[in-house]
């Protein structure tokens, strides 16, 4: 890194990956959810701009955390057809500023922050809710988000075997090859959802599917599920039968009841009540509620993604980058 500590810092994808290892990202998310639960965070609802002719959406996500004296703003675009053009589904940037004097501190690659903080949130949930002996994972989806989901789960549990399923067989095969090499454990591409779930004690769904990606009957007893792909009212990755029988935890109650189709559909059908989905992960971190209560209990963490996660992840990345001399000083 060139320049001085007062300079505006730019962190690229590679910089963020170096500056924010998954273990650090998980601890940052632990702190973020705790401060959110203690009302130390100002986080307006995210604004969205739909671009229907391009099958895209633009999201604007601001956040302020009094406990750390930082403010952030994320601009994120998600264009569903980008794969045809060789472009990422999600592209984003995070701006980090000093909340004491308003000085802009850093411009951070937001796509990488989004992937890491989403995976890390599931890492926190898995650490708190999955069986301590969990050693088999099932991953639905084979994109960037699925990779950080698995990375996070392997950070908090001694995973020995993984199966991945994606409707794009070539993508699942590439995921299995890449993640097996990265993590040093067997990762197998499964041919069906049922095969993927066989014996799995931790399940992560990170897809763009608008309908459930597995059957409730195929889940093992005592499984923990991280559901992160669906964040719109009309889409759902998780079967309603699973939602109804699981003990459900959310990243943020207000956001989940506004955006999480997985939860809203059975709620609107009268199959569950709002009380069924009212436990926030921060409540669990603060020991206001108990975690897993029985060995066979199904637990589910539903995440729609929050601006506070971007803030805490970006702040930790910038802190580490300055200490390690990573990034580019802008003048």
């Amino acid at each position: 890194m060139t320049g001085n500590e007062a300079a505006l810092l730019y962190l690229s994808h590679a910089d963020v990956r170096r500056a924010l290892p998954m273990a650090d990202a998980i601890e940052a998310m632990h702190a973020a959810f705790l401060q959110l639960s203690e009302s130390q965070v100002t986080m307006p609802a995210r604004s969205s701009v739909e671009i229907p002719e391009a099958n895209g959406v633009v999201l604007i996500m601001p956040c302020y955390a009094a406990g750390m004296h930082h403010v952030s703003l994320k601009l994120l675009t998600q264009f569903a057809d980008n794969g045809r053009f060789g472009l990422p589904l999600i592209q984003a940037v995070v701006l980090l500023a000093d909340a004491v004097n308003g000085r802009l501190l850093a411009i951070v690659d937001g796509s990488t922050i989004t992937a890491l903080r989403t995976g890390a949130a599931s890492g926190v949930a898995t650490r708190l809710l999955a069986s301590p002996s969990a050693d088999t994972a099932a991953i639905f989806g084979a994109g960037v988000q699925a990779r950080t989901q698995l990375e996070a789960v392997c950070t908090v549990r001694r995973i020995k075997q993984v199966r991945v399923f994606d409707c794009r067989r070539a993508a699942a095969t590439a995921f299995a090859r890449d993640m097996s090499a990265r993590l040093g454990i067997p990762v197998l591409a499964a041919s069906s959802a049922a095969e993927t779930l066989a014996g799995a004690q931790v399940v992560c769904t990170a897809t763009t599917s608008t309908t459930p990606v597995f059957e409730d009957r195929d889940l093992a007893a005592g499984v923990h599920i991280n559901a992160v792909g669906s964040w719109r009212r009309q889409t759902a990755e998780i079967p309603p039968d699973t939602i109804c029988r699981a003990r459900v935890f959310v990243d943020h109650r207000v956001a989940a009841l506004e955006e999480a189709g997985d939860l809203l559909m059975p709620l609107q059908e009268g199959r569950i009540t709002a009380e069924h989905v009212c436990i926030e992960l921060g409540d669990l971190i603060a020991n206001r509620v108990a975690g897993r209560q029985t060995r066979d209990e199904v637990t589910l963490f539903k995440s729609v993604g929050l601006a506070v996660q971007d803030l805490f992840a970006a702040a930790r990345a910038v802190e580490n980058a300055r200490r390690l001399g990573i990034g580019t000083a802008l003048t």
Side-chain angles (χ1 to χ4, degrees):
M1 182 176 71
T2 59
N4 55 52
E5 291 298 303
L8 176 63
L9 185 67
Y10 171 68
L11 297 182
S12 66
H13 161 78
D15 295 332
V16 175
R17 287 297 314 195
R18 289 178 59 202
L20 190 63
M22 183 54 75
D24 277 24
I26 289 171
E27 294 312 315
M29 293 306 97
H30 186 281
F33 289 123
L34 182 59
Q35 284 212 17
L36 180 63
S37 75
E38 294 178 344
S39 301
Q40 293 295 304
V41 173
T42 302
M43 187 175 64
R46 58 182 160 204
S47 302
S48 65
V49 179
E50 300 284 344
I51 308 177
E53 62 271 22
N55 205 10
V57 62
V58 178
L59 302 177
I60 302 168
M61 301 169 63
C63 187
Y64 163 60
M68 64 188 307
H69 306 297
H70 283 88
V71 62
S72 65
L73 176 67
K74 182 166 81 170
L75 174 68
L76 180 146
T77 66
Q78 180 173 314
F79 283 71
D81 299 329
N82 273 6
R84 295 188 303 177
F85 311 116
L87 295 172
L89 171 69
I90 293 174
Q91 301 173 84
V93 64
V94 177
L95 305 181
L96 183 70
D98 190 320
V100 175
N101 54 34
R103 183 169 65 90
L104 188 61
L105 301 173
I107 303 171
V108 184
D109 180 85
S111 302
T112 312
I113 287 292
T114 301
L116 284 170
R117 59 81 151 158
T118 305
S122 293
V124 174
T126 301
R127 183 168 64 185
L128 295 173
L129 293 168
S131 168
S133 62
D135 63 5
T136 303
I139 308 295
F140 287 85
V144 172
Q145 296 281 0
R147 283 167 162 75
T148 55
Q149 289 292 304
L150 179 55
E151 185 180 351
V153 167
C154 289
T155 300
V156 300
R157 287 293 183 271
R158 194 178 297 275
I159 301 298
K160 298 178 181 177
Q161 186 180 52
V162 180
R163 285 183 292 275
V164 59
F165 179 74
D166 193 289
C167 58
R168 305 161 299 159
R169 179 70 183 188
T173 300
F175 178 101
R177 180 188 65 243
D178 297 345
M179 296 307 291
S180 181
R182 180 187 298 182
L183 300 172
I185 58 176
V187 181
L188 308 175
S191 59
S192 68
E195 179 188 346
T196 308
L197 288 174
Q201 296 142 320
V202 179
V203 175
C204 299
T205 61
T207 77
T208 57
S209 178
T210 59
T211 57
V213 296
F214 60 80
E215 298 286 344
D216 177 70
R217 63 175 179 266
D218 293 326
L219 289 170
V223 68
H224 171 68
I225 304 165
N226 299 304
V228 307
S230 167
W231 56 272
R232 296 190 177 190
R233 299 176 66 90
Q234 69 274 21
T235 64
E237 295 179 300
I238 308 300
D241 287 348
T242 302
I243 297 295
C244 291
R245 72 185 180 98
R247 189 147 176 260
V248 177
F249 296 77
V250 297
D251 49 8
H252 189 225
R253 187 178 303 109
V254 173
L257 290 174
E258 177 63 30
E259 299 179 335
D262 299 277
L263 309 178
L264 289 172
M265 291 180 189
L267 181 62
Q268 291 164 356
E269 292 168 1
R271 298 188 61 184
I272 59 173
T273 65
E275 287 70 30
H276 188 74
V277 297
C278 70
I279 307 176
E280 294 186 351
L281 198 58
D283 296 327
L284 183 58
I285 293 170
N287 294 316
R288 286 190 285 269
V289 297
R292 173 171 293 275
Q293 296 178 316
T294 68
R295 185 181 64 180
D296 291 340
E297 181 178 50
V298 174
T299 57
L300 185 144
F301 170 57
K302 176 58 198 171
S303 171
V304 295
L306 306 174
V308 69
Q309 295 173 248
D310 302 311
L311 171 54
F312 275 71
R316 180 67 66 93
V318 170
E319 177 186 355
N320 288 349
R322 292 199 185 279
R323 176 171 52 83
L324 298 170
I326 294 170
T328 302
L330 303 178
T331 58

